[in-house]
Amino acid sequence: MDKFKTVLNIASKQTNLGFGLVALLTAGGEQIFSSVVFKCPCNDLNFLYGMVFLLVPALALLLLGYILSKKTWKLFTGLCQHRAKLCSWRGVATTGMVLIQISTTALVAPSSWVAVALLNGNYYECSMTGINVSAYTKYLCRNMKSLVQCQEEMFRFPCESKSTLPHSDRENVLLTLRAQSQILGWLLISSIMLSNLLLTCVARCASPISYLQLKFWKLYIQEESTMIDSYSERHAKELAERNLKTFFNQIQPQNFITPSNKDWAKISSLYRFSTKEQYYSTLHRYVENSQEGENEMMRMASLKSSESAGDNPAVLDFVDDGRIAL
């Protein structure tokens, strides 16, 4: 179990490897469902039953992708409290861009499910044999001698024991359906890969930073995300331990510093890189701005003291600003 968790942690740190692992697990789950759980009823429920197995698990995986995404909850937490920002064009555009990014990641698992299911063909066969469209059933039964009987018994084709037509006639129809399903599956896979390539190219083309800096940024975000969980866990444990000791021992609580609500809000929002400010996350921006605020307070105090001493404000301004000339 520990080895499996290690593999998942490595995959989560590598975006492409993570997507590949999600697709692989989804494909394996689909194979298990197709071979063990799925049994075509071979009656009027064929179409509904097949479509439920084809689309409902994909929908569940899509919703799970939204639920497990940290960006989803960063975007929606407290959104109702900032309706003014949400109603502005800039707010709507930003929200839309974030939703597109979340959807791109969340669509990996459901698209993998649908693609593998179409390549397998079982769900599609069951669904299409139960479709009630005369033109389509005539097309499938066009080479049969008994066209009417083929159309009437088509919903029984996935279950060989329930059909009275010859085995060869039934297999011809099922082979046609399987071929259609696999064609749709490969078209879906190629369209997903093409759209992913186009989106990546557009995103990289519009990137305000270079390739190596973008790689560094991703590494920083991964490390920060991992470390903030460990720091939060340790900080919460220390705070809980202090409160419990104070309660059970009935003593005065020790002084404990924890971020304020405003501080938490500042580092919890989604961050968009700006070339004007070289920050890599909301936490990075908060730390740098806090340092600049402290430096500004020190600078103002130095200026006030220098006015009485008659020193040069320009020199003090340079030193207190925290910049180092190399």
Side-chain angles (χ1 to χ4, degrees):
M1 188 65 182
D2 294 335
K3 293 182 179 180
F4 182 69
K5 289 182 179 179
T6 303
V7 173
L8 288 179
N9 289 332
I10 296 174
S12 63
K13 292 182 179 180
Q14 303 294 331
T15 304
N16 294 331
L17 181 59
F19 286 168
L21 182 61
V22 169
L24 183 62
L25 292 175
T26 304
E30 192 282 328
Q31 289 295 323
I32 295 175
F33 266 77
S34 179
S35 59
V36 178
V37 180
F38 181 78
K39 300 293 181 183
C40 189
C42 297
N43 53 34
D44 295 339
L45 291 175
N46 278 19
F47 181 77
L48 179 61
Y49 187 79
M51 283 296 154
V52 164
F53 271 82
L54 180 64
L55 299 179
V56 172
L59 177 60
L61 289 171
L62 178 63
L63 297 177
L64 184 63
Y66 282 112
I67 293 171
L68 296 179
S69 176
K70 291 183 179 180
K71 283 187 176 181
T72 302
W73 306 119
K74 276 192 173 184
L75 177 64
F76 283 100
T77 302
L79 190 63
C80 295
Q81 304 297 329
H82 303 86
R83 297 177 183 176
K85 294 182 179 180
L86 182 62
C87 294
S88 63
W89 284 107
R90 187 176 180 180
V92 172
T94 303
T95 304
M97 289 296 296
V98 175
L99 287 175
I100 291 175
Q101 293 177 358
I102 298 171
S103 300
T104 302
T105 305
L107 282 171
V108 174
S111 59
S112 300
W113 175 279
V114 175
V116 174
L118 289 174
L119 290 177
N120 192 5
N122 290 342
Y123 304 151
Y124 186 86
E125 287 178 7
C126 184
S127 298
M128 293 299 104
T129 53
I131 194 170
N132 190 19
V133 179
S134 58
Y136 185 71
T137 55
K138 285 182 180 179
Y139 165 75
L140 293 176
C141 299
R142 63 190 183 280
N143 296 325
M144 305 294 176
K145 294 181 180 179
S146 53
L147 178 62
V148 177
Q149 186 180 3
C150 175
Q151 290 179 282
E152 292 177 351
E153 295 189 10
M154 185 175 295
F155 63 88
R156 300 176 181 174
F157 284 5
C159 305
E160 185 175 0
S161 59
K162 294 184 178 181
S163 178
T164 59
L165 289 174
H167 176 76
S168 59
D169 293 344
R170 186 182 66 87
E171 280 298 317
N172 288 334
V173 174
L174 293 179
L175 283 174
T176 301
L177 292 174
R178 192 173 295 114
Q180 293 176 357
S181 179
Q182 291 174 348
I183 290 172
L184 292 175
W186 284 116
L187 289 176
L188 178 61
I189 293 174
S190 60
S191 62
I192 291 172
M193 295 182 67
L194 180 60
S195 60
N196 185 35
L197 176 61
L198 291 176
L199 288 174
T200 303
C201 289
V202 171
R204 291 301 178 91
C205 183
S207 175
I209 57 179
S210 62
Y211 171 78
L212 291 177
Q213 189 178 5
L214 180 61
K215 186 176 181 180
F216 170 81
W217 186 11
K218 290 182 178 180
L219 292 173
Y220 171 80
I221 291 298
Q222 292 168 3
E223 292 297 330
E224 182 187 276
S225 178
T226 302
M227 294 182 68
I228 196 172
D229 291 338
S230 61
Y231 269 77
S232 298
E233 182 179 357
R234 185 171 61 192
H235 196 79
K237 183 178 180 180
E238 292 175 356
L239 179 60
E241 186 176 359
R242 186 207 71 155
N243 293 338
L244 288 171
K245 285 183 178 179
T246 302
F247 174 76
F248 283 105
N249 298 331
Q250 293 296 303
I251 59 177
Q252 291 295 325
Q254 298 177 356
N255 186 28
F256 194 89
I257 300 175
T258 188
S260 64
N261 293 341
K262 290 183 178 180
D263 294 336
W264 281 113
K266 288 179 180 178
I267 69 167
S268 298
S269 60
L270 291 169
Y271 178 69
R272 185 175 181 180
F273 187 83
S274 174
T275 53
K276 298 179 180 179
E277 300 174 336
Q278 193 171 336
Y279 306 138
Y280 295 102
S281 67
T282 52
L283 179 61
H284 186 195
R285 180 173 58 189
Y286 169 79
V287 171
E288 295 294 340
N289 289 340
S290 298
Q291 183 65 30
E292 290 177 2
E294 292 179 1
N295 291 338
E296 182 65 19
M297 292 177 64
M298 293 174 60
R299 185 182 70 85
M300 294 302 296
S302 299
L303 285 175
K304 290 181 180 180
S305 62
S306 66
E307 289 176 358
S308 60
D311 295 333
N312 188 352
V315 176
L316 290 172
D317 179 69
F318 174 78
V319 174
D320 293 336
D321 197 34
R323 292 192 289 259
I324 301 176
L326 298 177

